[in-house]
Amino acid sequence: SGRARAPLGTRVVATARAFCKECVADDKEISVVRLDPLAYVAPNAVLVENVIVDEGASIWYNCVLRGDVGAIRIGKNSNIQDGTIIHVASPKEEGGESIDTIVGEGVTVGHMALLHACTIEDHSFVGMKACVMDGARVKKHGMLAAGALLTPGKVVGSGELWAGSPAKKMRDLTEAEIEGIYDSADKYRNLGERYREGWTREQFGKGYGWISGAHLREGSG
């Protein structure tokens, strides 16, 4: 499929960490983290078990994507910004199915958002510190405002802006706002490419600091 795979306890494509003490101790290769070669994952992001990150997508600093009891998929050219947590839901009854978290193509998920067992459709937007709960959905061209709480099973309609806690529809998006969703995805795809190309495979793990937007080797002066 062209995606890299690695056992738990190793860096996947020299970036994300899929870490499990018990699995490392038993030397069990059960990780199914799969990253497209053209995706970017920040070095301290954590991806565990059943996680797929598609071409051009980016997972930023301090994100946790834990696909342990279900699957997580991040679609092409989507960006998951710093500090975001993504998880799934266990089956509600024996023999039942888990609830996965699916993020479509060209989606922006703002800093420190929480996605739990939900679906974010193509070219939609989840604002900073927003929370999307089990079975909820943001449809194509939908927008969930910063800090909003989308409660279980609720649906943000196509072209709608929802806000508040609990979230409710505020109004329809303008054409400019919908275009801004595409602009955000393009911006983060380009940014991820620069990060990916600037940090070589050999550089990861050697101790880099971050000063004024430039990555500098510790002790380099």
Side-chain angles (χ1 to χ4, degrees):
S1 64
R3 292 190 177 92
R5 300 176 66 126
L8 289 179
T10 65
R11 289 183 181 272
V12 183
V13 194
T15 52
R17 292 179 294 120
F19 182 70
C20 170
K21 291 181 179 178
E22 292 76 16
C23 298
V24 172
D26 294 339
D27 196 28
K28 295 178 181 177
E29 296 190 10
I30 63 171
S31 172
V32 290
V33 172
R34 285 175 284 175
L35 305 180
D36 188 277
L38 296 180
Y40 171 73
V41 180
N44 70 343
V46 178
L47 281 64
V48 178
E49 296 197 40
N50 196 351
V51 179
I52 297 174
V53 182
D54 284 340
E55 175 187 346
S58 56
I59 314 296
W60 293 89
Y61 293 90
N62 295 317
C63 289
V64 177
L65 283 66
R66 182 157 60 92
D68 47 4
V69 295
I72 296 171
R73 177 151 191 170
I74 309 302
K76 182 177 179 180
N77 299 335
S78 289
N79 61 90
I80 310 300
Q81 296 176 16
D82 313 67
T84 291
I85 305 297
I86 302 180
H87 194 220
V88 291
S90 303
K92 297 188 180 299
E93 55 187 30
E94 187 174 352
E97 295 185 356
S98 61
I99 305 177
D100 300 335
T101 295
I102 306 299
V103 176
E105 297 186 3
V107 171
T108 288
V109 177
H111 308 289
M112 299 180 68
L114 171 60
L115 307 182
H116 197 273
C118 60
T119 299
I120 313 298
E121 294 186 6
D122 296 348
H123 307 295
S124 55
F125 186 100
V126 176
M128 294 184 289
K129 290 191 174 182
C131 177
V132 185
M133 296 298 294
D134 298 33
R137 178 181 295 264
V138 179
K139 289 195 170 183
K140 183 176 182 179
H141 296 164
M143 180 177 288
L144 184 64
L149 171 62
L150 191 63
T151 50
K154 294 293 185 180
V155 178
V156 175
S158 179
E160 295 179 354
L161 169 64
W162 284 45
S165 181
K168 61 182 180 179
K169 181 181 177 181
M170 305 301 289
R171 58 176 175 83
D172 291 333
L173 294 175
T174 66
E175 290 185 8
E177 287 169 332
I178 292 173
E179 186 63 30
I181 295 174
Y182 288 84
D183 291 343
S184 177
D186 289 344
K187 171 187 173 183
Y188 266 90
R189 179 191 170 102
N190 293 335
L191 189 61
E193 287 176 353
R194 291 198 291 271
Y195 274 65
R196 191 184 68 247
E197 293 169 359
W199 286 43
T200 68
R201 191 183 186 99
E202 291 74 22
Q203 287 172 321
F204 278 103
K206 290 187 176 179
Y208 274 71
W210 195 267
I211 301 174
S212 300
H215 43 279
L216 304 172
R217 185 191 245 161
E218 292 177 355
S220 64

